[in-house]
Amino acid sequence: MKQRILVVSHGHPDFSLGGAEIAAYNLFEAFKKNENVEDTWFLARADRGRGITGQIHKRRDNEYLWEQGVADWHLMKSAHQESVTTWFVDLLKSLKPTVVHIHHYAHIGLEFIRAIKKYDSSIKVYLTLHEYMAICKHNGQMVKTGKEMKLCSSESYDECRGCFPENTAEDFWLRKHHFKSAFDLADGFISPSEFLRQRYLNWGIKQDDIVVIENGQSDLPPIAPRPIAENETRNRFGYFGQVNPYKGIDILLEALRSMTKEERKLVLVEIHGSNLETQSGDFQIKIKKLAKKLIAEGCLRWVGPYRPDEQRTRLKEIDWVIVPSIWWENSPMVIQEAFTAGRPLIVSNIGGMAEKVQDGVDGLHFSARNPLELANKLKYAVSNITLWNDLHQNIASPLSYTECAEEHMAFFETR
Amino acid sequence: MLNVFKKNKGEITPALMKNTIESEFNAEFYAEKYTFLETNDHLSHFVTEGWKEGLDPCEWFSTSKYIQAYPDVAASGINPFFHYLYYGKAEGRNEGLVGISGDASLRSLVKTSNQADEDYHSSKYFKEASNILGTELEFTTEQFERFANWTKVVPKATGPHPNVKAFLDSASATGSGCEAITSGWIIRKKDSFVWFETNQGQILPMRSAFFQYRQDVYDAFEDEMTEALPLTGFVQALTACNPGTLLRIYALSSEGAHEVAQCNVERIDSAPKKLAEFLASINTPLSELPKRITKIDEPLITSAIAQKNKAIAAMPHEVYSFGETTAPGASIIIPLYGRVDFVEAQMQCFSQDIFVQNHCELIYVIDDPSLVEPFKKLSSDIYALYGIPFKVVWGGLNRGFSGANNLGVEYATAHYLLFLNSDAFPTNPGWVEQLTDVLNSNSDYGVVSPRLLFADGSIQHAGMEFVYRNELSIWVNHHPNMGIDPTLDPHSEPTIVPAVTGACMLMTRSLFDSIGGWDNGYLIGDFEDSDLCFKIREKGKHCIYVPTVDLTHLERQSFNLTGAPDFRTKVVIYNATRHQNKWSSLLKQSVSNG
């Protein structure tokens, strides 16, 4: 039987360029082309500037926007309750999906999962987990609250209370109960990384209910290595993505600052980052102050934001991609994108980054949150003539959109 | 003449002023506090200069506070301490007093002539009073009535009583004419005759009051305590006493009845909780509190509760329902108080339980006016999402845990009643059938209750016992094995225990009706479950703890919202006292009897 798949995402890439919504949309596009799919739709939560009306509107053929929100982030409760059992169910009645594949419930709430099963328990519900939201109230980061942003490895009612003293341990019992009772309704879970899968196994998802499927990538060929003269080195490093305190830009800039002026002359770091201006004042000041002298010296270029279609052009002039995040990450899209382009990476040695990049095989690890260690890896990458070529050759081509959709279909078949 | 001198007391001479001040002046205090003084005649210094510099004559009087409080005194240029002693004290100008509980200041509150009343025992009045009441502390109501009538013929004497000193800290009445309370202290001898008199003519001998030890009175009057009765603090319940009137205390001497204290009767709220709060504000050593409660507080609160229950009975109910359960096997009654966000979390558990959905009737009883509106929206959202039928009952006002449960029963139609807290969450489906199976397994079983676990998974309830708290003189509920890992639970089979928790209990409707339901005479939710258990045991039935059924109980979440911890403690003592007065014999049998 061919499947009719409704893909649900917390955002539409037309308006929001987060990794999860792009992955969801690309998978939706790939489902369209899959021979076992009869029909497929994309439903994204959207803020159309009219408030949370609960209304669902057509965006274009097979694409819908839902003006939904979250009223209670502790329990992830929908702001527009009524539409969950009315307009959303009407959409199900009209589309008649056999599968609802949910990529995120943030900004939507958890209730619609129950509404699907109550309307028709034969509809299969799958959830792709993009972060640790159910486990961790702190934006699903598994990083402690507070200035030091310590990494967190385990959740418990009392530890979570440590991060949120205004909540009781009982509040966290309730939170987990709410998430778990919604998750219990799902027919299966997909994790883009084994690391995240393990965290959810510890939390309470059953071993057989959750599989790892990497996010799909375009099947464009790798970009040619940046042409270099004989006396030149592979010394161009690029950072791509958001600029926020979890992404470790400050670690990268501090790594440069820790090097001698002579050492810095041998490297060039480009920041292709967005949203610095939306960050807190303290953070902005810190980053700008760190960057100023480096830019003046010429070892740092602040290139700024890019559109997805510009990324390949920008990667042409780059030798290495750096992912210095101070949180665990899951499966950062930029890693797969760098591999697609044929660029080795230098990444923090934790979580999804350590899993996706193999140290000394297709990239380098550095001790997370340690600028001196990152500086050493930058110097090592520049000074070792054959290293780049070796790593570059070992890069395997990432999972394509088509293959990603096929893996999903295979998983759906088994459930 | 300035109004500060309005009372004509003859000419004020410097000698009079100095003599008056000297009687209360504390030279030692003055010398120690004002070490910079170079004189040895501290009294003269204070009388002439010291007061102008704002120096204090003794530890209990503040010159500057007095002047600040009474600008007329300041304007007159008179020595403030003299003014207080000569005029202000009688006029009730007490703003200059410091440390009202300090020993010296208590003395300033009362007046006596401090003369021996040598004719007292041979006086006509003493003999008459003794004939009626006797000099022992025991008495009967009939004696009281005769005494009250007799006081009407006793002439009122002028001037202070020779030795009895009394002070009324407060007197308050609800205005219903039924509940009034006063407290204060008194220095009296064993053969003193003292009585309260309301201006509506109610007369109550002082002996009927509750007496307690007062450290502050002892400290202030230590020199007199060898002859006086040792328990100087009193709390007395009055009837026929309304707000806005005057309450007086009279003491007998050979000359007749002297007024030794008086006080305005303030108004207090008649709601049982407000009355209880007021009673809690009257200090009594905690270990003595149960005695006071039995004598004073309980009759007052019982009267207030009875009036409230009368109003409750007349209150219309608002009932609405979603869907319908046909021929339910069990009615699950869930009172809602303080918060409603547990309801959905509990519904998530019910949504996995076919038996609850098909054979149980869910009845939510709103017991909190602030939840009525929010629950209208929430309940319809929850029904839309979960589709499990339920009924909502709102009884017009807060009825307390017992009252809310009783109200729920009025709308229950099933053979079994299951009382459930909204913060108790079954860990597995099938729990209701398991509990009914246990109840049916033995005809002597009256009520069954599951194991309750904390959020962290350790035991919260595994049956209840009772322990005696010596420092408070009360029997309190004890939860054995609380906090341990459930795998270490000594019980693995249904077990007879002294009592079980009201957070989740199942019984038949017929048993419930035969014991007359929940007792709604307790304050703010305590001991109501053990009271119900004792009623069941009185019928010869057992309370059964079922360790094979687990619920998670986020205990006390809904109780945290009531009052301050201090008040909370006193409420527990109140309820415990009422509980043990009702069930003393069963309590003594219940010590670790499981």
Side-chain angles (χ1 to χ4, degrees):
Chain A
M1 191 192 75
K2 288 192 172 190
Q3 303 284 17
R4 301 169 60 82
I5 305 175
L6 172 63
V7 177
V8 181
S9 169
H10 65 314
H12 195 294
D14 287 0
F15 315 111
S16 160
L17 287 170
E21 44 269 54
I22 292 175
Y25 193 80
N26 287 336
L27 186 58
F28 154 70
E29 294 276 21
F31 280 146
K32 271 187 194 169
K33 295 170 195 148
N34 189 291
E35 57 178 12
N36 292 317
V37 176
E38 186 180 289
D39 209 348
T40 184
W41 307 269
F42 191 69
L43 172 67
R45 174 263 174 190
D47 177 357
R48 306 174 68 213
R50 316 186 307 171
I52 299 165
T53 66
Q55 292 178 17
I56 295 174
H57 286 263
K58 189 175 159 180
R59 166 75 181 156
R60 59 176 73 87
D61 283 353
N62 287 37
E63 294 181 31
Y64 293 87
L65 300 178
W66 187 7
E67 285 175 307
Q68 183 56 283
V70 161
D72 178 349
W73 283 90
H74 183 70
L75 301 179
M76 199 57 74
K77 285 179 67 65
S78 301
H80 203 285
Q81 288 279 328
E82 198 193 329
S83 64
V84 173
T85 50
T86 55
W87 290 320
F88 175 68
V89 173
D90 290 344
L91 185 75
L92 296 177
K93 283 180 190 164
S94 319
L95 304 182
K96 298 181 183 63
T98 54
V99 167
V100 179
H101 183 191
I102 298 161
H103 278 261
H104 226 310
Y105 46 80
H107 297 286
I108 303 175
L110 287 162
E111 288 92 334
F112 75 103
I113 301 174
R114 187 173 300 275
I116 299 165
K117 286 293 184 179
K118 180 171 170 256
Y119 161 64
D120 181 352
S121 60
S122 72
I123 297 176
K124 300 286 186 187
V125 172
Y126 301 103
L127 224 64
T128 293
L129 303 171
H130 289 281
E131 31 33 42
Y132 312 93
M133 191 74 89
I135 306 173
C136 172
K137 180 177 174 168
H138 193 205
N139 305 320
Q141 303 273 328
M142 293 199 80
V143 169
K144 305 269 189 195
T145 57
K147 276 212 167 120
E148 291 173 48
M149 301 196 287
K150 288 185 198 150
L151 286 167
C152 170
S153 301
S154 67
E155 48 101 23
S156 72
Y157 309 131
D158 285 303
E159 286 167 279
C160 292
R161 216 191 70 72
C163 276
F164 295 92
E166 68 276 21
N167 289 115
T168 61
E170 285 74 18
D171 289 339
F172 282 103
W173 183 93
L174 266 184
R175 184 178 191 274
K176 185 166 183 174
H177 178 80
H178 265 263
F179 278 79
K180 192 72 177 33
S181 71
F183 276 34
D184 284 346
L185 299 170
D187 296 277
F189 298 88
I190 296 120
S191 165
S193 74
E194 181 60 29
F195 182 81
L196 182 136
R197 179 173 175 267
Q198 288 298 328
R199 288 283 164 103
Y200 274 98
L201 291 180
N202 292 339
W203 180 75
I205 293 182
K206 290 194 197 79
Q207 185 90 17
D208 297 338
D209 289 347
I210 178 164
V211 291
V212 175
I213 303 177
E214 181 52 270
N215 294 314
Q217 300 298 319
S218 72
D219 39 18
L220 294 170
I223 312 168
R226 179 175 69 90
I228 51 171
E230 213 164 285
N231 57 347
E232 248 188 287
T233 56
R234 292 281 171 202
N235 67 345
R236 299 275 179 90
F237 301 90
Y239 172 88
F240 291 86
Q242 305 267 327
V243 179
N244 68 43
Y246 296 108
K247 294 292 187 179
I249 296 267
D250 47 341
I251 305 289
L252 175 56
L253 300 185
E254 275 165 10
L256 286 174
R257 292 289 285 259
S258 76
M259 292 157 69
T260 64
K261 203 168 177 183
E262 280 62 42
E263 287 168 341
R264 280 200 293 266
K265 277 186 183 155
L266 303 175
V267 300
L268 177 63
V269 171
E270 292 186 356
I271 306 286
H272 299 265
S274 57
N275 289 342
L276 176 60
E277 60 286 352
T278 63
Q279 301 300 316
S280 78
D282 284 354
F283 181 72
Q284 282 194 43
I285 290 165
K286 180 183 177 188
I287 295 300
K288 283 177 182 164
K289 202 172 149 194
L290 277 170
K292 198 171 173 189
K293 186 179 156 203
L294 299 168
I295 293 169
E297 233 177 60
C299 68
L300 180 71
R301 285 182 61 213
W302 197 280
V303 190
Y306 58 93
R307 292 196 311 274
D309 58 317
E310 292 174 320
Q311 194 188 25
R312 269 177 87 82
T313 324
R314 295 198 179 190
L315 275 165
K316 276 185 190 166
E317 297 304 312
I318 294 289
D319 301 314
W320 306 83
V321 172
I322 301 179
V323 186
S325 294
I326 64 162
W327 78 291
W328 305 104
E329 295 281 6
N330 170 22
S331 173
M333 199 66 91
V334 65
I335 292 178
Q336 302 306 320
E337 288 162 350
F339 283 152
T340 306
R343 296 292 181 263
L345 293 106
I346 300 175
V347 300
S348 299
N349 66 342
I350 54 169
M353 296 170 287
E355 178 186 328
K356 300 296 175 183
V357 175
Q358 291 169 272
D359 191 24
V361 177
D362 48 16
L364 299 174
H365 289 182
F366 76 95
S367 177
R369 300 176 174 224
N370 186 338
L372 296 178
E373 245 266 298
L374 177 53
N376 285 340
K377 289 294 152 85
L378 295 180
K379 288 184 271 185
Y380 174 57
V382 173
S383 59
N384 191 323
I385 314 289
T386 58
L387 178 67
W388 190 89
N389 282 334
D390 292 346
L391 300 178
H392 174 251
Q393 267 171 14
N394 290 336
I395 293 171
S397 69
L399 192 72
S400 71
Y401 296 139
T402 315
E403 291 162 341
C404 178
E406 282 164 0
E407 287 199 18
H408 277 88
M409 294 305 292
F411 178 58
F412 298 166
E413 280 302 310
T414 65
R415 306 304 292 172
Chain B
M1 188 177 272
L2 279 167
N3 66 352
V4 275
F5 305 120
K6 68 185 171 205
K7 214 188 228 174
N8 185 9
K9 282 196 168 185
E11 199 188 342
I12 296 163
T13 61
L16 170 71
M17 198 180 280
K18 195 167 177 175
N19 287 343
T20 306
I21 290 174
E22 189 173 12
S23 67
E24 297 290 346
F25 185 76
N26 185 341
E28 223 166 77
F29 164 85
Y30 201 74
E32 262 173 42
K33 186 164 182 188
Y34 309 114
T35 47
F36 51 86
L37 297 175
E38 284 166 5
T39 171
N40 285 328
D41 186 0
H42 294 109
L43 175 65
S44 300
H45 181 268
F46 176 75
V47 170
T48 55
E49 304 161 45
W51 72 269
K52 290 177 189 160
E53 294 156 18
L55 307 191
D56 299 331
C58 59
E59 62 272 36
W60 56 264
F61 187 83
S62 164
T63 306
S64 55
K65 270 181 74 184
Y66 196 75
I67 285 186
Q68 230 163 26
Y70 307 111
D72 55 337
V73 176
S76 73
I78 192 175
N79 183 316
F81 192 46
F82 170 75
H83 182 272
Y84 172 71
L85 296 173
Y86 207 65
Y87 305 102
K89 189 171 165 181
E91 293 164 13
R93 299 196 194 214
N94 293 327
E95 291 298 315
L97 303 184
V98 285
I100 196 81
S101 60
D103 51 346
S105 63
L106 284 190
R107 278 184 180 273
S108 73
L109 295 172
V110 291
K111 276 187 289 188
T112 48
S113 63
N114 274 331
Q115 284 156 7
D117 186 8
E118 277 157 11
D119 302 332
Y120 183 55
H121 292 106
S122 57
S123 73
K124 171 175 175 263
Y125 307 127
F126 175 77
K127 285 179 182 161
E128 285 173 356
S130 303
N131 279 339
I132 299 170
L133 277 190
T135 49
E136 295 309 311
L137 296 175
E138 299 298 315
F139 42 80
T140 66
T141 321
E142 185 263 342
Q143 284 175 306
F144 269 25
E145 278 167 23
R146 279 177 57 207
F147 184 78
N149 286 330
W150 169 79
T151 61
K152 286 169 193 157
V153 302
V154 179
K156 300 284 190 268
T158 51
H161 190 276
N163 50 59
V164 172
K165 303 175 192 70
F167 184 75
L168 283 161
D169 289 328
S170 72
S172 308
T174 61
S176 71
C178 298
E179 302 104 10
I181 180 103
T182 184
S183 64
W185 50 267
I186 182 163
I187 313 278
R188 60 182 177 143
K189 296 176 182 173
K190 198 184 164 202
D191 56 10
S192 298
F193 286 96
V194 187
W195 63 92
F196 296 98
E197 198 169 316
T198 70
N199 70 336
Q200 277 121 336
Q202 188 196 12
I203 287 156
L204 265 183
M206 177 63 97
R207 285 179 200 183
S208 61
F210 169 79
F211 285 95
Q212 63 189 36
Y213 179 70
R214 286 266 303 243
Q215 185 68 43
D216 54 344
V217 177
Y218 182 85
D219 289 345
F221 299 94
E222 200 176 346
D223 52 332
E224 296 176 34
M225 291 315 293
T226 46
E227 287 183 49
L229 287 171
L231 298 179
T232 54
F234 64 81
V235 182
Q236 174 67 301
L238 302 161
T239 54
C241 180
N242 284 322
T245 62
L246 267 184
L247 176 69
R248 292 185 168 88
I249 297 177
Y250 286 97
L252 193 68
S253 80
S254 57
E255 291 171 20
H258 300 256
E259 182 187 315
V260 288
Q262 69 162 18
C263 163
N264 269 314
V265 180
E266 309 276 330
R267 180 177 292 276
I268 45 165
D269 202 310
S270 66
K273 192 185 160 213
K274 298 280 182 190
L275 185 60
E277 276 171 356
F278 177 76
L279 288 167
S281 74
I282 299 173
N283 264 326
T284 291
L286 288 186
S287 66
E288 292 291 307
L289 197 51
K291 283 187 212 149
R292 187 191 103 185
I293 287 168
T294 304
K295 185 164 188 165
I296 306 290
D297 302 32
E298 199 186 326
L300 287 174
I301 290 176
T302 301
S303 160
I305 287 178
Q307 285 179 61
K308 185 182 171 184
N309 285 342
K310 214 190 278 174
I312 284 174
M315 199 59 83
H317 308 161
E318 187 183 333
V319 184
Y320 54 96
S321 35
F322 295 97
E324 204 180 330
T325 315
T326 46
S331 302
I332 303 181
I333 294 164
I334 305 165
L336 300 177
Y337 178 77
R339 51 194 282 189
V340 284
D341 57 328
F342 296 129
V343 171
E344 184 172 7
Q346 209 177 42
M347 197 58 95
Q348 285 158 356
C349 301
F350 298 158
S351 73
Q352 297 176 339
D353 194 321
I354 302 296
F355 187 84
V356 170
Q357 289 170 47
N358 295 338
H359 303 292
C360 294
E361 169 185 58
L362 291 173
I363 302 171
Y364 293 101
V365 183
I366 302 179
D367 196 36
D368 184 339
S370 69
L371 301 182
V372 176
E373 282 310 308
F375 201 58
K376 281 185 178 158
K377 169 88 169 83
L378 183 65
S379 57
S380 67
D381 285 345
I382 285 177
Y383 183 68
L385 194 58
Y386 294 83
I388 300 170
F390 59 89
K391 198 177 276 179
V392 182
V393 182
W394 160 233
L397 78 179
N398 171 245
R399 294 164 182 246
F401 184 67
S402 283
N405 275 329
N406 286 339
L407 177 62
V409 173
E410 287 184 40
Y411 292 89
T413 61
H415 178 70
Y416 296 105
L417 295 175
L418 200 166
F419 297 101
L420 183 68
N421 280 11
S422 69
D423 58 355
F425 308 93
T427 49
N428 288 301
W431 59 290
V432 181
E433 302 101 297
Q434 288 176 53
L435 290 176
T436 49
D437 286 351
V438 173
L439 185 63
N440 289 330
S441 68
N442 186 323
S443 60
D444 287 338
Y445 288 0
V447 58
V448 296
S449 183
R451 180 160 63 197
L452 299 182
L453 306 176
F454 286 114
D456 61 19
S458 54
I459 290 179
Q460 188 247 318
H461 168 264
M464 291 199 307
E465 295 174 356
F466 300 90
V467 291
Y468 190 69
R469 290 278 296 271
N470 201 43
E471 79 280 21
L472 300 174
S473 321
I474 52 169
W475 290 89
V476 294
N477 295 350
H478 174 68
H479 284 227
N481 297 318
M482 185 189 267
I484 69 164
D485 189 307
T487 58
L488 303 175
D489 190 339
H491 302 296
S492 55
E493 297 293 325
T495 307
I496 297 174
V497 290
V500 291
T501 177
C504 180
M505 52 163 64
L506 178 105
M507 71 193 72
T508 63
R509 173 67 184 261
S510 56
L511 178 64
F512 180 86
D513 288 342
S514 76
I515 57 170
W518 294 83
D519 182 336
N520 57 10
Y522 291 92
L523 277 173
I524 327 168
D526 247 331
F527 293 92
E528 291 154 313
D529 45 9
S530 52
D531 184 281
L532 192 78
C533 289
F534 281 136
K535 288 205 239 180
I536 289 168
R537 286 173 55 189
E538 213 180 20
K539 290 267 169 194
K541 302 269 187 180
H542 294 302
C543 303
I544 307 300
Y545 160 55
V546 186
T548 47
V549 178
D550 283 338
L551 277 78
T552 299
H553 187 206
L554 305 186
E555 202 217 0
R556 289 282 169 188
Q557 291 276 305
S558 51
F559 282 110
N560 281 341
L561 306 164
T562 334
D566 186 42
F567 175 57
R568 183 75 210 160
T569 305
K570 290 180 175 175
V571 166
V572 172
I573 296 173
Y574 177 84
N575 287 330
T577 304
R578 184 172 186 273
H579 184 249
Q580 69 203 22
N581 288 345
K582 246 180 119 174
W583 300 111
S584 63
S585 62
L586 276 175
L587 271 168
K588 280 163 197 157
Q589 293 168 25
S590 289
V591 188
S592 306
N593 195 9

